[in-house]
């Protein structure tokens, strides 16, 4: 048991150390992702309390959070300099794609909100 | 096909602006190749449109079959009343007295497309009637499909394969069967949307760009709006992602492509009212969601592994995360399925996995002829040489595996399985067959033509950079087999012969088998001249002009759409078949004695009854041949109708030896009323039924509660009026 907690502590420490080495721009994107997922979880908890009617509003709320989180992760992947597959992609193009997809996502959400 | 001309070109006098001086009017090789490709594509585009016009030239520009009439009626409504009325339309003219919420129970893609084309044409002052637009929508989209097939072929192999794919799919009978001019049905537009979605998705996986992934989400939205077969896409794409993950070919591009397409695509799909919340509630869509969550976990673990750089620590982290994720996943799935929140697979799609399911449980699905398993002859008929080019193409795909070829292989194999289960799904397999076969054709022709053009003297491989071509290496190594060049020429001629036979076969098949409107029948008369039977339209127009506007017509569900579209009268049941009990009520009425049927008809407010009878002309798709299905469907809901009552020793007969219930049921009486006096064939007794090939058993038919209203000129459609109840004294 002690070895287990020791392992866990070592794990968390090395994770924290490795994460501190990431550039700030990526950390900002990670913060946005965490915020979006947290909002989604809050909405699910609220739905569990008051029921799921109207279902389309609940779905649009949760899916907008999940969608924008996923798109932010895609942006992070494309902007990260360590990814050799995307080294030809200028970060402006990646950000423009991100904005476009978010625009479409939120327009559909607004139609679905009801 | 991929062979470019290196000889000096003849000077062409076109496009003078791109050449600085008159001397340089020669095209470079690249420009020549572009010219050849563009002109080939243009010809293929026109060919795909023109080959589907047989029935328009032979008969007239009209809508075929049954389902297209419903689509036509809704498109007419859309152009007259606008989108908002269409989207919220409640139709009280079908399924009397229940009505049908049309706005919420159809796939609007086809109607909106046709209405849009109609509006654009009117904007440019082409005053075409919406019917012409409807008739020609399917060929137009078939031409667009060839373009998409070209780009798809280019993406998975090279532009030569793209050209071959476009040419093959332009005339492939499997596709033509559902997209001739006049066949105004969802599949005409849906196959275009299917191929477009697949192409955009493969492009997104190849480039890893969010923009292409967004485009594929829109393609998926178009597919969802067009056809219920979109379930194929939403299951094939996650399966593909799973295969890539399992074989270790995953990359960041896959993550970007799938996630954007899934989330945005799912949201867009839920805007269609008919689909509703199925993407989060139905068992058929759960695979996509499962793969979505799996991807998140997988790539998260991949990222942690990357930043940790330490195997042991990562293993412990992996253990923790995996146990959590798997428990949560299994728990959610089991609670969802057990509580019924996640609905199980619907009968339509479950019968694809278990083909015997429909026959035992849902007779309506089993009775449709398009839902029967496919015979080998159908495969040969619809695919011809593609049948053996497909395995050859698979071989080439495996030789040069990439993300794109894996996708095409999976698409081909899954669609071939489903095409074997249900005849109708040959249509979905057709693009896959054409794409894979085009790889085989293109690669073979390229290899052979390089052999033909190889100069045996120069060892440096005289400028033919063909990848992996052992033939080119052999030629340049100067160890060529004797008569290699002649052999290659012979094989090339053989390939040319095969492709010519394919073209001839496709044209013959289109002309003979797939160009009949089904609503107008044709036959060869005694003198060899063509005889047209236009009885259906005659009957529907009689209904339109001779019955009160609020009359209700009872018929078998096959003819419902046509009666509402052309006869403009209310029907009891139609082809939508959404209410099995209502159809069973009609089936029960048709199979009961006349007085029992009269009770049922009074309760449904029926004024007219319409039956189809082929005994005079020999037309075999008539109601007597469909009668056993009426009994089965009626008996499925009302146990008072028992199928053995109508059979004699398990045999279905209508002559003197037939079962007494058969000889006196309503359908028999309505079909054979006054038929006993009619001589149909020289040398046969009166009352000889030309379809069943027997003399009918009950010739002396008296109708007590109905009277004959109209019989068409060839006795194919017969309409009876229901008499009002007698006065009590």
């Amino acid at each position: 048991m002690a070895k287990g907690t020791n392992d866990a502590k070592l794990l968390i420490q090395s994770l924290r150390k490795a994460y501190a080495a990431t550039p700030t721009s990526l950390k900002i994107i990670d913060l946005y992702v965490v915020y979006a997922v947290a909002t989604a979880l809050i909405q699910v908890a609220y739905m569990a309390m008051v029921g799921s009617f109207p279902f389309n509003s609940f779905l649009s709320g949760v899916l907008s959070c999940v969608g924008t989180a996923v798109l932010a992760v895609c942006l992070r992947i494309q902007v990260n300099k360590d990814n050799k597959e995307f080294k030809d992609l200028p970060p402006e193009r990646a950000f423009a794609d991100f904005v476009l997809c978010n625009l479409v996502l939120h327009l559909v959400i607004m139609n679905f909100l009801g | 096909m991929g062979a470019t001309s290196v000889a000096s070109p003849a000077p062409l006098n076109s496009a003078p602006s791109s050449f600085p001086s008159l001397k340089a009017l020669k095209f470079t090789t690249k420009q020549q190749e572009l010219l050849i490709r563009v002109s080939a594509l243009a010809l293929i585009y026109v060919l795909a449109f023109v080959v589907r016009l047989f029935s328009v030239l032979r008969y007239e520009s009209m809508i075929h079959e049954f389902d297209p009439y419903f689509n036509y009626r809704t498109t007419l409504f859309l152009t007259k009343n606008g989108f908002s009325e269409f989207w919220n339309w409640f139709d009280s003219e079908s399924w009397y007295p229940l009505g049908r919420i049309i706005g919420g129970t159809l796939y609007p893609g086809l109607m909106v497309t046709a209405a849009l084309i109609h509006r654009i044409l009117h904007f440019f002052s082409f005053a075409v009637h919406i019917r012409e637009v409807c008739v020609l929508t399917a060929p137009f989209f078939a031409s667009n499909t060839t373009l998409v097939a070209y780009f798809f072929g280019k993406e998975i192999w090279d532009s030569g394969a793209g050209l071959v794919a476009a040419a093959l799919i332009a005339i492939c009978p499997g596709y033509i069967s559902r997209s001739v001019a006049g066949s105004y049905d969802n599949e005409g537009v849906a196959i275009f949307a299917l191929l477009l979605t697949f192409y955009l998705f493969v492009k997104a996986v190849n480039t890893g760009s969010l923009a292409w992934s967004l485009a594929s989400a829109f393609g998926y939205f178009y597919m969802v709006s067009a056809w219920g077969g979109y379930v194929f896409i939403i299951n094939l794409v996650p399966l593909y992602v799973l295969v890539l993950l399992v074989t270790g070919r995953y990359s960041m591009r896959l993550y970007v492509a799938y996630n954007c397409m899934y989330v945005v695509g799912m949201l867009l799909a839920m805007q269609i009212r008919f689909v509703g919340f199925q993407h989060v509630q139905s068992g058929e869509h759960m695979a996509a969601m499962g793969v979505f969550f799996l991807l998140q976990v997988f790539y998260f673990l991949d990222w942690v592994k990357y930043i940790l750089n330490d195997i042991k620590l990562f293993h412990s982290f992996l253990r923790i995360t995996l146990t959590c994720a798997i428990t949560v996943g299994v728990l959610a799935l089991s609670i969802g399925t057990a509580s019924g929140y996640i609905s199980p697979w619907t009968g339509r799609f479950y019968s694809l996995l278990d083909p015997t399911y429909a026959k035992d449980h849902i007779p309506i699905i089993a009775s449709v002829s398009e839902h029967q398993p496919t015979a080998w002859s159908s495969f040969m008929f619809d695919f011809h040489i593609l049948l053996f080019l497909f395995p050859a193409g698979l071989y080439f795909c495996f030789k040069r595996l990439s993300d794109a070829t894996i996708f095409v292989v999976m698409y081909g194999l899954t669609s071939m399985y489903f095409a074997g289960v249900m005849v109708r799904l040959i249509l979905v397999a057709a693009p896959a067959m054409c794409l894979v076969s085009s790889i085989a054709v293109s690669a073979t022709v390229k290899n052979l033509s390089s052999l033909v053009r190889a100069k045996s003297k120069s060892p440096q491989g005289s400028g033919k950079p063909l990848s992996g071509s052992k033939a080119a290496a052999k030629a340049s190594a100067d160890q060529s087999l004797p008569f290699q060049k002649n052999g290659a020429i012979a094989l090339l001629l053989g390939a040319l012969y095969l492709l010519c036979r394919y073209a001839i076969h496709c044209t013959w098949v289109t002309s003979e088998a797939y160009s009949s409107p089904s609503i107008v029948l044709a036959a060869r008369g005694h003198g060899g001249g063509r005889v047209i039977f236009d009885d259906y339209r005659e009957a529907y127009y009689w209904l339109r002009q001779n019955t009160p506007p609020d009359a209700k017509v009872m018929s078998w569900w096959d003819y419902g759409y046509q009666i509402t579209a052309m006869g403009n009268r209310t029907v009891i049941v139609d082809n939508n078949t959404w209410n099995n009990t209502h159809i069973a009520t009609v089936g029960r009425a048709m199979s009961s004695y006349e007085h029992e049927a009269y009770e049922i008809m009074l309760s449904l407010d029926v004024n007219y009854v319409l039956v189809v009878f082929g005994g005079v002309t020999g037309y075999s798709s008539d109601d007597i041949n469909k009668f056993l299905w009426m009994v089965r469907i009626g008996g499925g809901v009302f146990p008072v109708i028992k199928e053995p009552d109508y059979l004699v020793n398990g045999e279905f007969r209508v002559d003197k030896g037939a079962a007494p219930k058969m000889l006196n049921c309503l359908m028999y009486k309505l079909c054979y009323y006054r038929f006993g006096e009619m001589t149909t064939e020289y040398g046969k007794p009166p009352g000889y039924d030309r379809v069943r090939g027997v003399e009918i058993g009950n010739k002396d038919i008296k109708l007590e509660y109905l009277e004959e209203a109209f019989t068409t000129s060839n006795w194919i459609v017969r309409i009876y009026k229901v008499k009002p109840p007698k006065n009590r004294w």
Side-chain angles (χ1 to χ4, degrees), chain B residues 542-555:
Chain B
W542 182 91
L543 267 182
R544 195 190 187 107
Q545 291 161 353
N546 293 293
T547 56
D550 61 350
K552 296 156 193 76
V553 180
M554 180 172 95
S555 70

PDB file of all heavy atoms in Angstrom, chain B residues 542-555:
ATOM      1  N   TRP B 542     -59.302   9.471 -63.518  1.00  0.00           N
ATOM      2  CA  TRP B 542     -60.753   9.294 -63.361  1.00  0.00           C
ATOM      3  C   TRP B 542     -61.158   9.657 -61.939  1.00  0.00           C
ATOM      4  O   TRP B 542     -62.151  10.349 -61.717  1.00  0.00           O
ATOM      5  CB  TRP B 542     -61.136   7.843 -63.673  1.00  0.00           C
ATOM      6  CG  TRP B 542     -62.621   7.638 -63.573  1.00  0.00           C
ATOM      7  CD1 TRP B 542     -63.529   7.771 -64.575  1.00  0.00           C
ATOM      8  CD2 TRP B 542     -63.365   7.304 -62.396  1.00  0.00           C
ATOM      9  NE1 TRP B 542     -64.798   7.540 -64.123  1.00  0.00           N
ATOM     10  CE2 TRP B 542     -64.730   7.250 -62.772  1.00  0.00           C
ATOM     11  CE3 TRP B 542     -63.044   7.052 -61.065  1.00  0.00           C
ATOM     12  CZ2 TRP B 542     -65.733   6.940 -61.869  1.00  0.00           C
ATOM     13  CZ3 TRP B 542     -64.042   6.765 -60.172  1.00  0.00           C
ATOM     14  CH2 TRP B 542     -65.380   6.705 -60.585  1.00  0.00           C
ATOM     15  N   LEU B 543     -60.336   9.189 -60.953  1.00  0.00           N
ATOM     16  CA  LEU B 543     -60.615   9.508 -59.556  1.00  0.00           C
ATOM     17  C   LEU B 543     -60.613  11.019 -59.341  1.00  0.00           C
ATOM     18  O   LEU B 543     -61.485  11.578 -58.687  1.00  0.00           O
ATOM     19  CB  LEU B 543     -59.541   8.914 -58.635  1.00  0.00           C
ATOM     20  CG  LEU B 543     -59.759   7.545 -58.032  1.00  0.00           C
ATOM     21  CD1 LEU B 543     -58.579   7.220 -57.143  1.00  0.00           C
ATOM     22  CD2 LEU B 543     -61.038   7.498 -57.250  1.00  0.00           C
ATOM     23  N   ARG B 544     -59.617  11.667 -59.954  1.00  0.00           N
ATOM     24  CA  ARG B 544     -59.467  13.101 -59.763  1.00  0.00           C
ATOM     25  C   ARG B 544     -60.661  13.853 -60.308  1.00  0.00           C
ATOM     26  O   ARG B 544     -61.100  14.844 -59.730  1.00  0.00           O
ATOM     27  CB  ARG B 544     -58.199  13.539 -60.477  1.00  0.00           C
ATOM     28  CG  ARG B 544     -57.733  14.891 -60.094  1.00  0.00           C
ATOM     29  CD  ARG B 544     -56.619  15.324 -61.043  1.00  0.00           C
ATOM     30  NE  ARG B 544     -56.041  16.562 -60.579  1.00  0.00           N
ATOM     31  CZ  ARG B 544     -54.853  16.659 -60.016  1.00  0.00           C
ATOM     32  NH1 ARG B 544     -54.100  15.591 -59.880  1.00  0.00           N
ATOM     33  NH2 ARG B 544     -54.402  17.815 -59.604  1.00  0.00           N
ATOM     34  N   GLN B 545     -61.209  13.358 -61.454  1.00  0.00           N
ATOM     35  CA  GLN B 545     -62.238  14.142 -62.129  1.00  0.00           C
ATOM     36  C   GLN B 545     -63.661  13.694 -61.834  1.00  0.00           C
ATOM     37  O   GLN B 545     -64.598  14.413 -62.151  1.00  0.00           O
ATOM     38  CB  GLN B 545     -62.007  14.084 -63.645  1.00  0.00           C
ATOM     39  CG  GLN B 545     -60.765  14.836 -64.039  1.00  0.00           C
ATOM     40  CD  GLN B 545     -60.266  14.434 -65.416  1.00  0.00           C
ATOM     41  OE1 GLN B 545     -60.774  13.507 -66.035  1.00  0.00           O
ATOM     42  NE2 GLN B 545     -59.270  15.130 -65.904  1.00  0.00           N
ATOM     43  N   ASN B 546     -63.856  12.516 -61.263  1.00  0.00           N
ATOM     44  CA  ASN B 546     -65.217  12.011 -61.132  1.00  0.00           C
ATOM     45  C   ASN B 546     -65.648  11.694 -59.715  1.00  0.00           C
ATOM     46  O   ASN B 546     -66.690  11.092 -59.522  1.00  0.00           O
ATOM     47  CB  ASN B 546     -65.372  10.735 -61.969  1.00  0.00           C
ATOM     48  CG  ASN B 546     -65.265  11.041 -63.441  1.00  0.00           C
ATOM     49  OD1 ASN B 546     -66.109  11.701 -64.006  1.00  0.00           O
ATOM     50  ND2 ASN B 546     -64.194  10.579 -64.037  1.00  0.00           N
ATOM     51  N   THR B 547     -64.832  12.038 -58.738  1.00  0.00           N
ATOM     52  CA  THR B 547     -65.245  11.742 -57.365  1.00  0.00           C
ATOM     53  C   THR B 547     -65.273  13.043 -56.580  1.00  0.00           C
ATOM     54  O   THR B 547     -64.572  13.985 -56.920  1.00  0.00           O
ATOM     55  CB  THR B 547     -64.245  10.781 -56.698  1.00  0.00           C
ATOM     56  OG1 THR B 547     -62.953  11.349 -56.766  1.00  0.00           O
ATOM     57  CG2 THR B 547     -64.249   9.439 -57.388  1.00  0.00           C
ATOM     58  N   PRO B 548     -66.071  13.102 -55.529  1.00  0.00           N
ATOM     59  CA  PRO B 548     -66.097  14.327 -54.721  1.00  0.00           C
ATOM     60  C   PRO B 548     -64.734  14.553 -54.082  1.00  0.00           C
ATOM     61  O   PRO B 548     -64.010  13.608 -53.783  1.00  0.00           O
ATOM     62  CB  PRO B 548     -67.171  14.056 -53.669  1.00  0.00           C
ATOM     63  CG  PRO B 548     -67.438  12.621 -53.727  1.00  0.00           C
ATOM     64  CD  PRO B 548     -67.054  12.122 -55.059  1.00  0.00           C
ATOM     65  N   PRO B 549     -64.357  15.832 -53.858  1.00  0.00           N
ATOM     66  CA  PRO B 549     -63.003  16.122 -53.390  1.00  0.00           C
ATOM     67  C   PRO B 549     -62.668  15.506 -52.038  1.00  0.00           C
ATOM     68  O   PRO B 549     -61.508  15.291 -51.730  1.00  0.00           O
ATOM     69  CB  PRO B 549     -62.964  17.644 -53.304  1.00  0.00           C
ATOM     70  CG  PRO B 549     -64.086  18.116 -54.122  1.00  0.00           C
ATOM     71  CD  PRO B 549     -65.119  17.066 -54.106  1.00  0.00           C
ATOM     72  N   ASP B 550     -63.688  15.218 -51.211  1.00  0.00           N
ATOM     73  CA  ASP B 550     -63.363  14.652 -49.916  1.00  0.00           C
ATOM     74  C   ASP B 550     -63.564  13.142 -49.890  1.00  0.00           C
ATOM     75  O   ASP B 550     -63.757  12.564 -48.832  1.00  0.00           O
ATOM     76  CB  ASP B 550     -64.193  15.317 -48.827  1.00  0.00           C
ATOM     77  CG  ASP B 550     -65.680  15.082 -49.065  1.00  0.00           C
ATOM     78  OD1 ASP B 550     -66.021  14.588 -50.163  1.00  0.00           O
ATOM     79  OD2 ASP B 550     -66.479  15.387 -48.174  1.00  0.00           O
ATOM     80  N   ALA B 551     -63.542  12.512 -51.039  1.00  0.00           N
ATOM     81  CA  ALA B 551     -63.723  11.060 -51.086  1.00  0.00           C
ATOM     82  C   ALA B 551     -62.499  10.368 -50.525  1.00  0.00           C
ATOM     83  O   ALA B 551     -61.373  10.853 -50.649  1.00  0.00           O
ATOM     84  CB  ALA B 551     -63.963  10.615 -52.531  1.00  0.00           C
ATOM     85  N   LYS B 552     -62.716   9.219 -49.878  1.00  0.00           N
ATOM     86  CA  LYS B 552     -61.595   8.462 -49.316  1.00  0.00           C
ATOM     87  C   LYS B 552     -61.468   7.152 -50.057  1.00  0.00           C
ATOM     88  O   LYS B 552     -62.466   6.466 -50.289  1.00  0.00           O
ATOM     89  CB  LYS B 552     -61.850   8.210 -47.839  1.00  0.00           C
ATOM     90  CG  LYS B 552     -61.856   9.582 -47.164  1.00  0.00           C
ATOM     91  CD  LYS B 552     -62.573   9.679 -45.913  1.00  0.00           C
ATOM     92  CE  LYS B 552     -62.784  11.112 -45.493  1.00  0.00           C
ATOM     93  NZ  LYS B 552     -63.807  11.864 -46.181  1.00  0.00           N
ATOM     94  N   VAL B 553     -60.264   6.823 -50.410  1.00  0.00           N
ATOM     95  CA  VAL B 553     -60.019   5.667 -51.254  1.00  0.00           C
ATOM     96  C   VAL B 553     -59.254   4.624 -50.453  1.00  0.00           C
ATOM     97  O   VAL B 553     -58.246   4.935 -49.815  1.00  0.00           O
ATOM     98  CB  VAL B 553     -59.197   6.066 -52.496  1.00  0.00           C
ATOM     99  CG1 VAL B 553     -58.944   4.871 -53.371  1.00  0.00           C
ATOM    100  CG2 VAL B 553     -59.900   7.158 -53.254  1.00  0.00           C
ATOM    101  N   MET B 554     -59.742   3.394 -50.482  1.00  0.00           N
ATOM    102  CA  MET B 554     -59.016   2.319 -49.809  1.00  0.00           C
ATOM    103  C   MET B 554     -58.356   1.448 -50.874  1.00  0.00           C
ATOM    104  O   MET B 554     -58.995   1.040 -51.831  1.00  0.00           O
ATOM    105  CB  MET B 554     -59.976   1.468 -48.975  1.00  0.00           C
ATOM    106  CG  MET B 554     -59.284   0.340 -48.260  1.00  0.00           C
ATOM    107  SD  MET B 554     -60.338  -0.528 -47.104  1.00  0.00           S
ATOM    108  CE  MET B 554     -60.902  -1.868 -48.113  1.00  0.00           C
ATOM    109  N   SER B 555     -57.067   1.206 -50.698  1.00  0.00           N
ATOM    110  CA  SER B 555     -56.366   0.315 -51.623  1.00  0.00           C
ATOM    111  C   SER B 555     -55.226  -0.298 -50.831  1.00  0.00           C
ATOM    112  O   SER B 555     -55.006   0.063 -49.676  1.00  0.00           O
ATOM    113  CB  SER B 555     -55.808   1.088 -52.817  1.00  0.00           C
ATOM    114  OG  SER B 555     -54.751   1.888 -52.397  1.00  0.00           O
TER     115      SER B 555
END
